[in-house]
Short mmCIF file of all heavy atoms in Angstrom, two decimals:
data_model
loop_
_atom_site.label_atom_id
_atom_site.label_comp_id
_atom_site.label_asym_id
_atom_site.label_seq_id
_atom_site.Cartn_x
_atom_site.Cartn_y
_atom_site.Cartn_z
N ASN A 37 17.01 3.29 -2.65
CA ASN A 37 17.73 4.37 -3.33
C ASN A 37 17.32 5.66 -2.64
O ASN A 37 16.38 5.68 -1.79
CB ASN A 37 17.47 4.36 -4.87
CG ASN A 37 16.04 4.61 -5.20
OD1 ASN A 37 15.34 5.42 -4.56
ND2 ASN A 37 15.54 3.93 -6.24
N ALA A 42 13.68 8.83 0.73
CA ALA A 42 13.08 10.16 0.95
C ALA A 42 11.59 10.03 1.13
O ALA A 42 10.98 10.77 1.91
CB ALA A 42 13.42 11.06 -0.22
N ILE A 49 19.45 6.49 7.93
CA ILE A 49 20.36 5.51 8.53
C ILE A 49 19.57 4.59 9.50
O ILE A 49 19.71 3.36 9.48
CB ILE A 49 21.54 6.17 9.29
CG1 ILE A 49 22.33 7.09 8.32
CG2 ILE A 49 22.43 5.17 9.99
CD1 ILE A 49 23.06 6.36 7.20
N LYS A 54 16.80 -0.69 10.49
CA LYS A 54 15.59 -1.47 10.71
C LYS A 54 15.41 -2.48 9.58
O LYS A 54 15.05 -3.62 9.81
CB LYS A 54 14.37 -0.55 10.76
CG LYS A 54 14.26 0.23 12.08
CD LYS A 54 13.04 1.11 12.10
CE LYS A 54 13.05 1.99 13.35
NZ LYS A 54 12.10 3.10 13.28
N LYS A 60 17.66 -10.93 6.15
CA LYS A 60 19.01 -11.47 6.29
C LYS A 60 19.84 -11.21 5.04
O LYS A 60 21.08 -11.06 5.10
CB LYS A 60 18.93 -12.96 6.52
CG LYS A 60 18.55 -13.34 7.94
CD LYS A 60 18.74 -14.84 8.17
CE LYS A 60 18.06 -15.22 9.46
NZ LYS A 60 17.25 -16.41 9.36
N ILE A 75 32.86 8.83 -2.09
CA ILE A 75 32.07 7.58 -2.16
C ILE A 75 32.67 6.54 -1.23
O ILE A 75 31.93 5.89 -0.45
CB ILE A 75 32.05 7.02 -3.63
CG1 ILE A 75 31.27 7.99 -4.55
CG2 ILE A 75 31.42 5.63 -3.67
CD1 ILE A 75 31.34 7.60 -6.03
N LEU A 77 34.51 7.02 1.47
CA LEU A 77 34.27 7.41 2.90
C LEU A 77 32.81 7.11 3.30
O LEU A 77 32.56 6.54 4.35
CB LEU A 77 34.54 8.89 3.09
CG LEU A 77 36.01 9.31 3.15
CD1 LEU A 77 36.13 10.84 3.19
CD2 LEU A 77 36.67 8.68 4.35
N ILE A 91 26.85 -1.54 -0.87
CA ILE A 91 26.93 -0.14 -1.20
C ILE A 91 26.53 0.10 -2.67
O ILE A 91 27.15 -0.46 -3.59
CB ILE A 91 28.35 0.43 -0.98
CG1 ILE A 91 28.83 0.07 0.45
CG2 ILE A 91 28.37 1.93 -1.19
CD1 ILE A 91 27.99 0.55 1.58
N GLY A 99 32.68 6.41 -9.74
CA GLY A 99 32.06 5.23 -9.14
C GLY A 99 32.93 3.98 -9.39
O GLY A 99 33.07 3.17 -8.49
N LYS A 112 31.01 -4.88 -0.13
CA LYS A 112 30.23 -5.27 -1.30
C LYS A 112 29.60 -4.06 -2.01
O LYS A 112 29.15 -3.13 -1.34
CB LYS A 112 29.14 -6.27 -0.87
CG LYS A 112 29.70 -7.59 -0.45
CD LYS A 112 28.70 -8.71 -0.74
CE LYS A 112 29.35 -10.06 -0.70
NZ LYS A 112 29.56 -10.56 0.67
N THR A 113 29.55 -4.14 -3.33
CA THR A 113 29.04 -3.03 -4.11
C THR A 113 27.97 -3.47 -5.14
O THR A 113 28.04 -4.56 -5.66
CB THR A 113 30.17 -2.32 -4.88
OG1 THR A 113 30.87 -3.31 -5.64
CG2 THR A 113 31.12 -1.61 -3.95
N GLN A 123 28.90 -0.27 -19.96
CA GLN A 123 28.95 0.08 -18.54
C GLN A 123 29.00 -1.21 -17.69
O GLN A 123 29.79 -1.28 -16.74
CB GLN A 123 27.67 0.88 -18.16
CG GLN A 123 27.66 2.30 -18.66
CD GLN A 123 26.35 2.99 -18.22
OE1 GLN A 123 25.27 2.39 -18.21
NE2 GLN A 123 26.45 4.26 -17.88
N ALA A 128 32.02 -4.66 -13.90
CA ALA A 128 32.46 -6.03 -13.51
C ALA A 128 33.99 -6.02 -13.38
O ALA A 128 34.54 -6.61 -12.43
CB ALA A 128 32.01 -7.05 -14.56
N GLY A 131 35.26 -4.85 -10.22
CA GLY A 131 35.07 -5.75 -9.05
C GLY A 131 33.71 -5.64 -8.38
O GLY A 131 33.55 -6.04 -7.22
N SER A 136 23.15 -3.17 -11.58
CA SER A 136 21.68 -2.96 -11.68
C SER A 136 21.29 -2.22 -12.98
O SER A 136 21.26 -1.00 -13.01
CB SER A 136 21.17 -2.14 -10.46
OG SER A 136 21.25 -2.89 -9.30
N ALA A 172 16.58 -4.23 -12.54
CA ALA A 172 15.97 -3.16 -11.74
C ALA A 172 15.00 -2.34 -12.57
O ALA A 172 14.93 -2.53 -13.78
CB ALA A 172 17.08 -2.26 -11.19
N SER A 173 14.28 -1.46 -11.87
CA SER A 173 13.27 -0.58 -12.53
C SER A 173 12.20 -1.47 -13.17
O SER A 173 11.78 -1.24 -14.32
CB SER A 173 13.98 0.31 -13.54
OG SER A 173 13.10 1.26 -14.09
N GLY A 187 17.60 -15.65 -17.48
CA GLY A 187 18.51 -16.24 -16.50
C GLY A 187 19.25 -15.19 -15.68
O GLY A 187 20.36 -15.42 -15.20
N VAL A 197 4.16 -4.75 -7.59
CA VAL A 197 4.37 -5.78 -8.63
C VAL A 197 4.45 -7.16 -7.97
O VAL A 197 3.91 -8.14 -8.50
CB VAL A 197 5.60 -5.49 -9.52
CG1 VAL A 197 5.80 -6.59 -10.55
CG2 VAL A 197 5.48 -4.13 -10.21
N LYS A 233 -13.53 -33.80 7.73
CA LYS A 233 -14.88 -33.29 7.97
C LYS A 233 -15.08 -31.84 7.58
O LYS A 233 -16.17 -31.32 7.73
CB LYS A 233 -15.22 -33.49 9.45
CG LYS A 233 -15.48 -34.95 9.76
CD LYS A 233 -16.04 -35.14 11.11
CE LYS A 233 -16.38 -36.62 11.31
NZ LYS A 233 -16.67 -36.97 12.65
#
Side-chain angles (χ1 to χ4, degrees):
N37 64 36
I49 302 295
K54 286 180 186 165
K60 283 190 192 133
I75 294 173
L77 284 174
I91 310 301
K112 291 211 164 77
T113 53
Q123 286 180 322
S136 291
S173 187
V197 179
K233 287 191 176 167

